[in-house]
């Protein structure tokens, strides 16, 4: 789950490697490193911690080579320290790696028995040794690379420099993404199109098992069997400008504010605002299936749960939702005529991808609700239902989540109409309601000041509970996840009706309880649960609309959300929850955009 970049350039390459690594930092940020080659000699600089630490090292000891590789790490094998930082070196070989070499222990034992010594705890170092061994046996760099790849089990994207080879970077991929960027007299390889976006928009996607050698003028690509192959060059629309923070303090803040736009943009792919009709992109017929199996992780899973509530209640179409890491290993029984629906911002999450592939192998039609339209998931599914949230940089998902909920809600309307559960007039009403979501999301952002005033109370707590009923239940879990991630405060989301079956024991004066209660058909019941909390001296933050606020007990602190139709309440109420997590993170001085231990794209299982 690291980010890698390789450049064969026409000018000193270190600043460009850093530029690219900044775009890849979302994949991990435990350590970083670069290496360049100059007059046949490879030199590397590494630092534990974030990229700025590596930048300081480079300031003190610059690198001037025009050909180089870079890496930003999310530690899997070996502590996140300097000796385990990439690039890793053995003999003439220096390389960077994203993924996990599953048979590294056995390879390492073999290499040690031959007298080779290791300087890191990484799985990666064995790859460098294997290539170097091939070179010492007289193989060409490409043959030594090829032979090494044949020995590896597990997952990898690699970028490799060879001492003495001034015009060469080799790369390979298996189960991890790798793209080739085509410049003018320069060539690039990187973990994704964003990595090479500052240099070129002409990109080829390597396929499973491919390996590649780039020099100043060309990329020679080979498939897993060693056959020379062509991978088409595509023009991609990932703009370097997309990753600017503008006037906001953090990307999280910016992305919360981006949500009206992100939702508007997403909805325009699903709704016809003139005819007020909802149509799934690709014209999918919801009568062709009897069941949906939603697969996702983390925040995307909570979006899927909200999708279940809205699709089942509107369209009467049964929906199962499961975290992909469980689904893929437990031998699930699938009903015939089930549509497998992956939900993913990145389109690269290893567990979701594996679950999707499993469904495909069982003959199910597959769909991905995905934000990264060039991702592996997007390319492997039968049908893509895009979200248009734009590039999400903060590790915590905000605008991608609401965009997913927008897509699912639009799909629910389309399914309801196709399956005869609602008539045209009701479809038009619901579409109109959904079209109002972007405006209401923007009104919900106005709660920012009130939310800020509550941040210190929540920020001092050790535990926080979130309660909701109906679609507010998965949203409560999403609110708790956001708080955990950004502030490291323990938080749990519960179905409000479940509280009396256990969690109520946690209530005391120290534990804030965030209650999500739009004035809908569940309102009275949720308010009873709120009273139970107050009776036990719990401190309540009530998120509700104006009508709901009129019933708020004096003890409750109220965050006002705009009044809205229940259809879009999960969208509108998501905003104060995200703002609360953000403000608590700021109050605690947390690393809001890059919390510890997390990575934006989880490409390991
Ligand atoms: C939480 C968060 C994660 C992701 C999860 C799935 O803020 O961002 O829980 O939602 O890792 O990622 P994607 O959507 O890329 O599959």
């Amino acid at each position: 789950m690291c980010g890698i970049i390789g450049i064969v350039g026409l000018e000193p390459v270190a600043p460009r490697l850093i530029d690219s690594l900044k775009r890849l930092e979302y994949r991990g940020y435990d350590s970083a490193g670069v290496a360049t080659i100059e007059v046949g000699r490879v030199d590397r600089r590494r630092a534990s911690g974030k990229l700025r630490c590596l930048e300081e090292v480079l300031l003190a000891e610059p690198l001037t080579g025009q050909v180089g590789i870079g890496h930003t790490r999310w530690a899997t094998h070996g502590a996140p320290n300097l000796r385990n930082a990439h690039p890793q070196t053995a003999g003439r070989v220096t390389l960077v790696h994203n993924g996990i070499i599953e048979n590294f222990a056995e390879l390492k034992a073999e290499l040690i028995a031959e007298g080779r010594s290791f300087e890191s705890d990484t799985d990666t170092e064995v790859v460098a040794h294997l290539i170097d061994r091939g070179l010492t046996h007289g193989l060409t760099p490409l043959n030594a690379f090829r032979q090494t790849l044949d020995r590896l089990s597990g997952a990898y994207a690699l970028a490799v420099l060879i001492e003495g080879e001034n015009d060469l970077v080799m790369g390979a991929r298996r189960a991890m993404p790798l793209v080739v960027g085509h410049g003018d007299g320069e060539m690039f390889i990187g973990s994704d199109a964003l990595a090479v976006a500052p240099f070129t928009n002409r990109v080829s996607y390597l396929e499973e098992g491919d390996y590649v050698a780039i020099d100043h003028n060309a990329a020679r690509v080979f498939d897993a069997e060693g056959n020379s192959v062509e991978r088409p060059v595509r023009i991609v629309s990932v703009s370097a400008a997309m990753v600017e923070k503008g006037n906001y303090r953090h990307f999280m803040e910016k992305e919360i504010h981006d949500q009206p736009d992100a939702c508007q943009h997403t909805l325009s792919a699903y709704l016809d605002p003139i005819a007020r009709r909802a149509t799934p992109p690709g014209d999918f017929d919801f009568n062709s299936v009897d069941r949906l199996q939603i697969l996702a992780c983390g925040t995307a899973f909570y979006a899927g749960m909200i999708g279940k509530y809205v699709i089942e209640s509107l369209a009467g179409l049964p929906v199962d939702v499961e975290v992909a890491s469980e689904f893929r290993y437990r031998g699930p029984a699938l009903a015939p005529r089930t549509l497998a629906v992956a939900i993913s911002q990145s389109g690269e999450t290893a567990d979701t991808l594996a679950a999707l592939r499993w469904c495909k192998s069982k003959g199910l039609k597959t769909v991905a609700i995905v934000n990264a339209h060039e991702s592996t998931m997007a390319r492997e599914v039968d049908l893509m239902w895009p979200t248009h949230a734009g590039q999400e940089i903060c590790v915590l998902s905000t605008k991608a989540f609401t965009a997913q909920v927008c897509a699912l809600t639009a799909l629910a309307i389309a399914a309801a109409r196709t399956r005869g559960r609602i008539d045209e007039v009701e479809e038009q009403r619901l579409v109109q309601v959904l079209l109002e979501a972007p405006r209401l999301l923007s009104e919900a952002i106005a709660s920012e000041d009130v939310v800020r005033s509550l941040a210190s109370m929540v920020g001092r707590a050790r535990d926080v509970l979130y309660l909701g009923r109906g679609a507010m239940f998965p949203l409560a879990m999403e609110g708790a996840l956001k708080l955990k991630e950004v502030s490291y405060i323990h938080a749990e989301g519960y179905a409000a009706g479940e509280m009396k079956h256990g969690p109520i024991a946690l209530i005391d004066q120290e534990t804030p309880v965030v209650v999500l209660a739009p004035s809908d058909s569940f309102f009275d019941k949720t308010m009873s649960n709120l009273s139970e909390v107050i009776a036990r001296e719990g401190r309540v933050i009530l998120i509700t609309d104006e009508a709901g606020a009129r019933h708020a007990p004096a003890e409750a602190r109220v965050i006002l959300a705009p009044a809205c139709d229940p259809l879009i309440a999960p969208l509108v109420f998501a905003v104060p929850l995200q703002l609360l997590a953000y403000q608590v993170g700021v109050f605690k001085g947390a690393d809001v955009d890059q919390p510890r231990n997390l990575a934006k794209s989880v490409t390991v299982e």
Side-chain angles (χ1 to χ4, degrees):
M1 217 161 60
C2 313
I4 69 170
I5 176 74
I7 302 178
V8 180
L10 293 172
E11 57 188 74
V13 81
R16 301 166 92 192
L17 293 172
I18 294 290
D19 190 3
S20 183
L21 291 178
K22 282 184 179 153
R23 290 169 164 76
L24 288 171
E25 225 181 351
Y26 74 92
R27 302 177 71 89
Y29 37 81
D30 289 332
S31 66
V34 294
T36 68
I37 186 162
E38 200 169 17
V39 248
R41 205 176 141 260
V42 177
D43 215 352
R44 67 178 165 167
R45 303 283 181 268
R46 300 179 295 166
S48 60
K50 299 233 170 110
L51 260 180
R52 58 177 175 270
C53 307
L54 177 64
E55 285 183 282
E56 281 163 22
V57 172
L58 278 165
L59 262 184
E61 293 177 88
L63 287 176
T64 49
Q66 299 185 351
V67 173
I69 56 177
H71 186 265
T72 178
R73 178 166 190 242
W74 189 78
T76 56
H77 289 57
N81 56 24
L82 190 61
R83 57 196 284 274
N84 292 329
H86 299 208
Q88 290 283 317
T89 295
R92 289 174 61 201
V93 180
T94 299
L95 56 77
V96 292
H97 167 219
N98 168 33
I100 295 176
I101 307 301
E102 285 167 6
N103 59 339
F104 88 99
E106 134 201 354
L107 293 170
K108 191 168 177 174
E110 173 186 320
L111 289 157
I112 288 173
E114 289 172 15
R116 289 183 167 263
S117 55
F118 283 74
E119 55 179 40
S120 78
D121 310 313
T122 63
D123 51 334
T124 303
E125 199 180 346
V126 296
V127 186
H129 276 283
L130 286 173
I131 302 173
D132 185 60
R133 182 173 72 179
L135 295 175
T136 56
H137 289 174
L139 294 179
T140 62
L142 207 55
N143 282 342
F145 191 39
R146 166 84 214 276
Q147 267 196 7
T148 298
L149 298 178
D150 287 344
R151 296 291 315 276
L152 306 179
S153 320
Y156 53 76
L158 294 160
V160 186
L161 290 179
I162 307 283
E163 209 144 72
E165 299 287 336
N166 282 324
D167 191 15
L168 175 71
V169 174
M170 297 186 295
R173 66 152 293 196
R174 190 197 288 163
M176 296 285 130
L178 193 68
V179 307
V180 177
H182 303 258
D184 294 321
E186 301 185 305
M187 295 294 293
F188 312 88
I189 54 178
S191 291
D192 60 21
L194 194 63
V196 300
F199 323 123
T200 182
N201 64 351
R202 288 183 290 136
V203 163
S204 313
Y205 292 90
L206 293 187
E207 291 187 7
E208 189 66 2
D210 281 358
Y211 61 103
V212 62
I214 58 168
D215 57 29
H216 277 97
N217 297 312
R220 283 174 295 148
V221 183
F222 305 89
D223 66 14
E225 276 71 51
N227 305 308
S228 173
V229 286
E230 294 287 322
R231 300 297 176 217
V233 178
R234 296 158 68 155
I235 307 296
V236 298
S237 60
V238 191
S239 136
M242 279 174 177
V243 290
E244 299 304 328
K245 201 155 37 185
N247 291 331
Y248 295 100
R249 203 167 148 194
H250 298 101
F251 278 110
M252 182 173 182
E253 185 186 21
K254 172 182 181 288
E255 287 162 3
I256 291 172
H257 283 254
D258 279 350
Q259 289 181 109
D261 254 11
C263 288
Q264 177 83 67
H265 203 166
T266 300
L267 289 174
S268 65
Y270 294 78
L271 303 180
D272 175 345
I274 312 281
R276 283 185 287 150
R277 298 218 53 178
T279 321
D283 266 346
F284 180 77
D285 178 4
F286 277 101
N287 279 320
S288 67
V289 291
D290 292 337
R291 196 168 201 95
L292 303 188
Q293 174 63 63
I294 293 182
L295 301 160
C297 300
T299 287
F301 168 70
Y302 297 134
M305 276 186 77
I306 292 172
K308 173 183 171 75
Y309 277 80
V310 61
I311 294 168
E312 290 200 344
S313 67
L314 262 188
L317 176 62
V319 181
D320 293 315
V321 194
E322 190 162 342
V323 285
S325 54
E326 283 301 310
F327 179 89
R328 64 181 286 199
Y329 289 119
R330 72 175 175 83
L334 292 175
R337 286 173 44 99
T338 297
L339 177 69
V341 183
I343 305 178
S344 178
Q345 188 287 123
S346 62
E348 303 290 351
T349 300
D351 285 318
T352 310
L353 189 58
L356 194 67
R357 284 176 176 161
W358 187 82
C359 289
K360 202 169 184 169
S361 75
K362 298 288 168 207
L364 295 195
K365 191 174 170 91
T366 57
V367 183
I369 298 179
V370 66
N371 199 45
H373 305 158
E374 309 283 346
S375 60
T376 309
M377 261 179 239
R379 285 180 285 121
E380 287 195 8
V381 280
D382 298 314
L383 182 62
M384 174 168 64
W385 286 335
T387 53
H388 295 281
Q391 181 77 27
E392 197 177 54
I393 298 295
C394 175
V395 169
L396 285 75
S397 190
T398 53
K399 63 176 180 171
F401 169 74
T402 42
Q404 286 158 355
V405 176
C406 278
L408 287 159
T409 311
L411 291 166
I413 301 172
R417 180 73 210 286
T418 313
R419 295 170 70 88
R421 297 281 294 220
I422 56 171
D423 61 17
E424 192 181 328
V425 175
E426 180 63 356
E427 178 184 19
Q428 290 184 337
R429 184 189 76 79
L430 293 171
V431 167
Q432 186 56 40
V433 165
L434 191 48
L435 284 169
E436 286 165 13
R439 174 179 57 79
L440 291 166
L441 282 169
S442 130
E443 285 179 23
I445 293 172
S447 63
E448 213 164 5
D449 289 342
V450 179
V451 171
R452 196 176 299 113
S453 72
L454 297 170
S456 62
M457 187 251 266
V458 177
R460 288 197 181 88
R462 208 191 56 186
D463 308 287
V464 181
L465 293 180
Y466 287 73
L467 303 178
R469 277 174 189 265
M472 292 293 127
F473 162 43
L475 192 63
M477 292 195 281
E478 166 60 6
L481 178 65
K482 286 285 95 84
L483 187 73
K484 276 187 262 209
E485 290 179 298
V486 74
S487 70
Y488 313 145
I489 296 172
H490 170 247
E492 296 297 335
Y494 281 101
E498 221 5 59
M499 196 187 59
K500 55 189 169 297
H501 300 289
I504 200 162
L506 297 173
I507 308 279
D508 61 18
Q509 291 167 343
E510 310 302 319
T511 310
V513 181
V514 180
V515 180
L516 297 167
S519 51
D520 56 13
S521 57
F522 301 114
F523 182 76
D524 292 341
K525 290 199 188 306
T526 309
M527 290 307 274
S528 305
N529 303 130
L530 179 148
S531 303
E532 290 155 15
V533 173
I534 288 180
R536 285 155 184 87
E537 302 192 353
R539 286 182 299 164
V540 169
I541 295 174
L542 172 63
I543 307 183
T544 187
D545 47 39
E546 231 170 66
R550 286 197 280 276
H551 302 274
E555 295 88 340
R557 312 284 296 268
V558 176
I559 299 175
L560 264 191
C564 63
D565 189 281
L567 182 74
I568 57 169
L571 290 165
V572 174
F573 278 62
V575 175
L577 284 182
Q578 297 164 342
L579 287 170
L580 183 62
Y582 172 69
Q583 293 296 349
V584 173
V586 171
F587 168 77
K588 294 200 75 178
D591 192 346
V592 168
D593 286 332
Q594 296 181 328
R596 70 183 179 209
N597 304 338
L598 298 179
K600 184 73 186 154
S601 183
V602 185
T603 55
V604 292
E605 58 176 274

